[in-house]
Amino acid sequence: MASSAQAISHQSLQTASAIRTETITGSHLFNIFGYSLTKGIGIGKSINSDIFTVGEYNWIIKFFPDGSSKDDQNFISICLQLETEATDVKALISFDMLQQNGEPYFSIQYPAYTNWTSKHPSRGYPQFANRAEFEASGHLKNDALSL
């Protein structure tokens, strides 16, 4: 009797992949001196920050002292606007209204990452702060505020 032995080969295949995303964090301080003079410029009219750059993109903060629309006329509206021509920018934004000591008086964060495009460049809060409550709060010192 002849016996034949067969070698059984077991081959283990292992694969892996990875991605690395880059997160860039930035901030811009927007000081508004002479706040009382900004009121009455009109619903939907904004006062804009200087252009600033975060993540190779240019942005501005738009401050609407009389609200960004008729529905928001009793509120301070605020938004971040993309100024760079782009097709898909993802960003997580938050706005802080600062006290005179630099600590946040009021903060709000956009709920999720937002895809900006040049066709839809602005994201923000039409009812960021009730204007009458803010003015009565005592946080408006020397007719100035910081965002």
Side-chain angles (χ1 to χ4, degrees):
M1 245 191 210
S3 128
S4 71
Q6 288 186 338
I8 298 177
S9 170
H10 178 65
Q11 185 177 10
S12 176
L13 182 59
Q14 190 174 34
T15 63
S17 62
I19 63 166
R20 180 182 306 256
T21 59
E22 182 179 11
T23 300
I24 299 170
T25 301
S27 64
H28 182 76
L29 181 63
F30 185 23
N31 292 308
I32 299 167
F33 301 105
Y35 166 79
S36 61
L37 298 175
T38 68
K39 297 186 319 180
I41 66 169
I43 297 168
K45 301 212 186 273
S46 67
I47 296 168
N48 300 337
S49 71
D50 290 337
I51 293 174
F52 58 97
T53 303
V54 175
E56 298 180 19
Y57 297 99
N58 293 328
W59 308 89
I60 60 170
I61 297 171
K62 298 181 83 162
F63 173 78
F64 300 83
D66 298 323
S68 57
S69 72
K70 190 172 180 173
D71 292 338
D72 311 313
Q73 63 185 332
N74 295 321
F75 294 86
I76 293 170
S77 301
I78 188 169
C79 74
L80 181 67
Q81 182 167 303
L82 177 65
E83 291 291 298
T84 303
E85 190 72 29
T87 57
D88 186 25
V89 179
K90 292 178 177 57
L92 181 63
I93 61 172
S94 65
F95 293 105
D96 299 314
M97 188 176 289
L98 303 177
Q99 300 176 63
Q100 296 298 312
N101 66 4
E103 294 296 316
Y105 152 68
F106 180 76
S107 297
I108 194 162
Q109 186 174 48
Y110 214 79
Y113 280 93
T114 303
N115 291 348
W116 264 275
T117 65
S118 297
K119 291 183 179 183
H120 303 287
S122 297
R123 301 288 186 275
Y125 299 93
Q127 297 183 357
F128 178 69
N130 180 290
R131 188 174 40 254
E133 289 175 13
F134 168 67
E135 291 172 0
S137 71
H139 293 287
L140 185 63
K141 301 274 191 214
N142 301 320
D143 201 29
L145 69 104
S146 297
L147 301 169

